[in-house]
Every structure is written in C-alpha cells, then in structure tokens.
Amino acid sequence: MVFLEFNDLSFVYPPVEGDLDEKGEQIIPRPVFDHFTAELPSGFVNFIGPNGCGKTTLLMLASGRLAPTNGSVSLLGQNPYLLGQEAKNLLASVIYQNMEFESGDSVKALLNEVYESGNLKGRAAGIRDKNSDLLEEVISIFELENLLNHGLTKLSKGEMQRVLLAFSILYGSPSIFMDEPMFAMEDRQKESSLAYLRDFVHETGTTIYVSLHEIDLSRKYADQVLLFYPNRDMSLGSPEEVLTNEDLEKAYGVPAAMLKSKEDLTRQQLKDVSDLIKKELRPDSGRE
C-alpha cells in the first residue's frame, strides 16, 4: 500500500476580506498547488525549504486538516479529510508551534489522558527499554519530570513543544505530522528529540513527517528529505542526494555557504541577502 498519495491535487486559500492591492482591488491568492500528483514514502521524512514554499499546507492537506480545492489525498488508503474528528486523529496526529489549549489540567494528567484515549490505550513498552513503560520513557526523553505538576498555561514555549512531542508519541497514531515541532527548544533537546523520533519510527513502523528549518539536523537524522523550491517544484531523496549546495541555493536563493549548516540566518535576513545579491547583479547596478 502506498503511504501517502496526492492525485491531481489543487489548493488555493480563500481571499482575505479587505486584502486589497495598490488599485484597491481584492487580492485573489494564487494556488499553492496546481494539479499536483505524487506518491510519498513512509518513514522519517523531513520537509525543508524557505518560508512560503508550501510545506505547512502540504502537511495539513496530507493529514486531512485542509480540504483540497480539487483532486484527492489518500493516507494509508483513506481520505483523511472525510473522516470524523476522532477517526482522523487516530489515523494522523498533528502538532505545530503555538498550539493553544484551554485545559487547566496538569501536564501529568494530560499525558495520561492522551496515552489512554489514543490507539495505545495506555499500554505500550518503551522502544529503548522494553522493560519500561512508554509513558515513563517519553517523560525522560523529553525532559518533562519537572513539569508534571504544572498547568499548560504555565509552560514556556520550549516546554510546551516538548509536551506536544510527548502527546504525539503517546497517542499512537500510525502517522504523525509535525510543523516546526522543535520551535524554541534548546539545541541539545532538538538533537535528543529527533534521535528518539527517528528510533521510534524504525522500531514501531510509525511514519513521521517533520517540517524543519535546521538543515544540519535533517542531514543527521532524516531517512528522506523533501526539499521545496519557491516555484513549488520538489526533490525527494536521501539527505545526501537532496541537500546538495546546488539544490539548497536553488531553494533559498542565496549561496549555500551563507546558509551555514544550521540556517543561523533568520528568514528575513535570508530574504534581505537574496534581494541584495539580485540588486548587485543587475546590469544597471553601477558596478565596475
């Protein structure tokens, strides 16, 4: 069975009321995807590419959180958008940065609730220590011991992301979609979390799609990388095959050396550098 299939898919966001151009006319968004057909693999797959290239939209379409304008999506043989909310969650979990929760319960209570209400029903062995319970292992891996009695509203952004990672594992969906899940986490926590996610995929057969901006982490941990270009073209392959200097320059519009290995430059800085390089290369730039 093909893990994820897009068949002649098109998607365009609806116009935003009051979003006008210089002539005062309503701006009509361009399609994010236009007659897109592809089969994507299972495993630990990282999405890499500049801001606005469609990574988040593709994750949301794949998990059934957005409906295609035209065409269809098949995830593990099902159309996720047509499922009821519980069935959708059991098929595909989704986490992203700045998720909001209204619950005032403690982290410990919520971890137990997620663990017991998902596919695992509160019973699963750890993947690194078969004699431990998965809940105990996840608490340790994501460094949640000191947060168990805290309410979610009391957590920092980095702490919240670690709790969300734990939720995604404990719920037990066969597919997990993560949009910038390492947001605000320390570098060592990103490393340990990605290493565990990769091991979890290999041990359990779960598929995890992760949108990341840290190129070096994708090189180190991803099974496969889907690299997005500004024109919506994509390259799929191993990190060694896809994350070449030539392809990264094509994707980001700046010399690969300026990306460094960790994308230390912010998105706005990258845009500013790209604009400056384009200006300098114009025939009328005044260069000697």
Side-chain angles (χ1 to χ4, degrees):
M1 178 188 298
V2 175
F3 169 70
L4 177 61
E5 184 175 8
F6 299 95
N7 184 28
D8 196 31
L9 179 141
S10 296
F11 180 81
V12 58
Y13 286 101
V16 177
E17 185 177 354
D19 192 5
L20 308 179
D21 61 19
E22 297 176 353
K23 298 179 180 179
E25 298 178 353
Q26 176 69 52
I27 295 176
I28 305 299
R30 297 175 58 189
V32 182
F33 298 102
D34 191 16
H35 299 288
F36 175 63
T37 296
E39 294 181 359
L40 299 184
S42 57
F44 191 41
V45 182
N46 287 191
F47 285 11
I48 291 289
N51 190 35
C53 65
K55 302 188 302 297
T56 298
T57 301
L58 196 65
L59 287 173
M60 296 301 105
L61 288 165
S63 60
R65 271 55 178 187
L66 287 176
T69 305
N70 292 293
S72 63
V73 178
S74 175
L75 175 63
L76 291 170
Q78 301 184 71
N79 184 334
Y81 186 76
L82 298 181
L83 299 176
Q85 191 59 53
E86 183 178 0
K88 186 181 301 185
N89 290 337
L90 290 171
L91 176 67
S93 297
V94 176
I95 67 171
Y96 49 89
Q97 58 179 294
N98 295 324
M99 290 183 74
E100 296 182 358
F101 296 87
E102 297 181 358
S103 173
D105 293 341
S106 69
V107 169
K108 180 178 181 180
L110 291 171
L111 288 171
N112 279 288
E113 181 180 345
V114 169
Y115 193 24
E116 293 171 0
S117 63
N119 283 316
L120 300 179
K121 304 304 179 186
R123 296 184 299 275
I127 63 163
R128 291 183 175 173
D129 181 359
K130 301 297 184 181
N131 295 319
S132 71
D133 187 84
L134 181 64
L135 176 59
E136 298 173 0
E137 184 172 86
V138 164
I139 288 173
S140 176
I141 291 294
F142 298 121
E143 302 179 16
L144 304 180
E145 296 91 341
N146 295 330
L147 306 178
L148 295 178
N149 295 321
H150 294 192
L152 290 183
T153 58
K154 302 298 182 181
L155 302 182
S156 69
K157 291 183 178 180
E159 290 169 344
M160 175 63 80
Q161 293 307 118
R162 283 155 38 211
V163 171
L164 292 176
L165 288 170
F167 285 170
S168 70
I169 294 297
L170 293 172
Y171 197 68
S173 302
S175 62
I176 306 173
F177 298 85
M178 302 179 171
D179 188 23
E180 296 298 324
M182 310 299 166
F183 173 71
M185 290 170 55
E186 298 177 13
D187 285 347
R188 64 173 182 80
Q189 294 170 336
K190 294 178 182 180
E191 292 261 2
S192 62
S193 297
L194 285 168
Y196 185 77
L197 294 177
R198 178 194 59 194
D199 293 348
F200 187 82
V201 166
H202 295 169
E203 184 69 24
T204 66
T206 303
T207 287
I208 298 180
Y209 277 32
V210 183
S211 173
L212 283 179
H213 280 284
E214 291 90 345
I215 295 171
D216 63 328
L217 294 180
S218 287
R219 282 196 174 105
K220 188 172 183 179
Y221 294 108
D223 291 334
Q224 296 199 65
V225 171
L226 187 64
L227 179 62
F228 289 66
Y229 303 107
N231 64 355
R232 303 293 191 266
D233 285 345
M234 305 174 197
S235 293
L236 174 67
S238 69
E240 295 77 15
E241 292 170 330
V242 173
L243 298 180
T244 64
N245 286 348
E246 180 180 358
D247 283 340
L248 289 172
E249 290 173 2
K250 177 182 174 184
Y252 287 91
V254 298
M258 299 194 68
L259 291 171
K260 303 182 181 178
S261 62
K262 293 182 61 177
E263 276 196 293
D264 290 330
L265 297 175
T266 66
R267 299 176 190 178
Q268 185 58 47
Q269 285 173 324
L270 286 172
K271 182 179 183 302
D272 292 343
V273 170
S274 177
D275 290 345
L276 178 60
I277 291 172
K278 291 176 182 177
K279 180 179 179 181
E280 289 295 312
L281 293 178
R282 289 176 190 158
D284 59 349
S285 64
R287 297 176 65 197
E288 295 295 326

